[in-house]
């Protein structure tokens, strides 16, 4: 793999993980702002969590569909001539 493809793969991974980062920050904010053994989330916060998870699932599922599986990749034979 060359540097550009490594950078592209790293960028794609960062984009896919951004949804999980949003969830982590939201939960961290709620944990920090609420003291006590229980954490109460508003309906809006739960909807944001659900949306972020759905986007992450769709992006991962889309990446799996677009990438060819190892079983489907076949090499074509090349005729060679040796003198």
């Amino acid at each position: 793999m060359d540097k550009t493809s490594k950078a592209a793969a790293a960028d794609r991974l960062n984009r896919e993980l951004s949804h999980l980062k949003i969830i982590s920050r939201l939960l961290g904010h709620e944990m920090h702002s609420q003291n006590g053994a229980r954490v109460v989330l508003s309906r809006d916060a739960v909807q944001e969590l659900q949306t972020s998870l759905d986007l992450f699932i769709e992006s991962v599922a889309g990446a799996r569909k677009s990438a060819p599986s190892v079983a489907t990749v076949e090499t074509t034979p090349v005729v060679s001539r040796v003198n």
Side-chain angles (χ1 to χ4, degrees):
M1 233 193 289
D2 61 346
K3 289 183 181 180
T4 56
S5 61
K6 285 182 183 179
D11 287 342
R12 179 170 173 76
L13 181 62
N14 284 334
R15 279 195 309 272
E16 289 179 0
L17 291 178
S18 66
H19 302 297
L20 296 178
K21 290 177 185 177
I22 291 169
I23 292 170
S24 176
R25 288 184 182 137
L26 177 62
L27 291 173
H29 172 73
E30 292 298 326
M31 294 284 290
H32 182 72
S33 66
Q34 298 180 29
N35 295 329
R38 290 181 171 222
V39 175
V40 179
L41 294 174
S42 68
R43 186 172 189 84
D44 291 335
V46 173
Q47 285 178 336
E48 290 296 324
L49 290 169
Q50 182 183 15
T51 302
S52 294
L53 285 173
D54 289 342
L55 289 172
F56 176 73
I57 291 167
E58 288 175 9
S59 67
V60 171
R64 291 185 70 200
K65 288 180 184 176
S66 66
S69 67
V70 176
T72 61
V73 176
E74 295 181 16
T75 59
T76 56
V78 177
V79 178
S80 61
R81 186 173 149 183
V82 179
N83 287 337

